[in-house]
Amino acid sequence: MQISARGDYAVRAALSLATAYPTLLSTQAIAAEQDMPRKFLEAVLADLRRAGVVRAQRGAEGGYTLARPPREITIGHVLRAVDGPLAGVRGLRPEETQYAGAAENLPRLWVAVRASVRRVVDEVSLDELVSGRLPAHVRKLTAQPDAWEPR
């Protein structure tokens, strides 16, 4: 799975908002804290607002806050809001792919890949990530000897 810059920025912004929840944060404050370009962050926050992940308040005392408590928003919600479906194969959903011959079973693998990604990003909330209290099955994945090794 490739995490786009947009997805990375969205998760980082959501984590800043989770830490401050329910207080409003300005784009300038989030950009400074997370060391990201403010204009790009504004576009990311607009996507998150349209998806119902954050809400905006205008005015001198305005800013952004999460639309729901951090324990109710998963990393998957945030990623989908800015990048769309988690797993795609040439623009198709994994279950929509069809192959012939030696590759006929490939859709099963693509569906399994999506399911494994979901098992992590859809089962970790912003609250859990901020606190470092990840679910046991996620902690177990990061504890595997080769988990931190590049391939």
Side-chain angles (χ1 to χ4, degrees):
M1 176 179 183
Q2 182 73 23
I3 306 294
S4 70
R6 192 174 202 84
D8 178 60
Y9 282 15
V11 171
R12 290 167 49 204
L15 291 170
S16 290
L17 292 170
T19 300
Y21 184 81
T23 304
L24 296 169
L25 288 181
S26 68
T27 54
Q28 185 173 338
I30 298 168
E33 177 190 342
Q34 292 297 324
D35 191 27
M36 56 179 74
R38 200 183 92 214
K39 285 293 186 191
F40 191 60
L41 174 61
E42 288 172 355
V44 167
L45 288 168
D47 287 344
L48 292 174
R49 186 185 50 75
R50 280 189 290 277
V53 175
V54 303
R55 64 179 179 79
Q57 181 175 312
R58 293 181 184 215
E61 300 297 315
Y64 289 87
T65 188
L66 296 175
R68 297 185 311 278
R71 71 179 178 279
E72 295 178 14
I73 300 172
T74 67
I75 303 306
H77 288 129
V78 175
L79 291 173
R80 284 184 189 91
V82 296
D83 284 336
L86 295 174
V89 181
R90 297 177 293 109
L92 298 172
R93 294 182 179 273
E95 72 276 8
E96 295 172 338
T97 59
Q98 290 184 337
Y99 305 96
E104 71 180 316
N105 292 308
L106 196 50
R108 286 184 177 169
L109 180 69
W110 298 150
V111 168
V113 168
R114 180 182 60 192
S116 66
V117 169
R118 283 178 176 171
R119 187 139 198 295
V120 174
V121 299
D122 286 344
E123 296 181 24
V124 175
S125 70
L126 294 173
D127 185 55
E128 290 168 320
L129 194 53
V130 164
S131 70
R133 292 185 319 264
L134 298 173
H137 70 279
V138 175
R139 285 193 320 268
K140 187 176 177 181
L141 289 170
T142 65
Q144 292 177 0
D146 65 344
W148 297 86
E149 298 296 322
R151 289 191 189 177

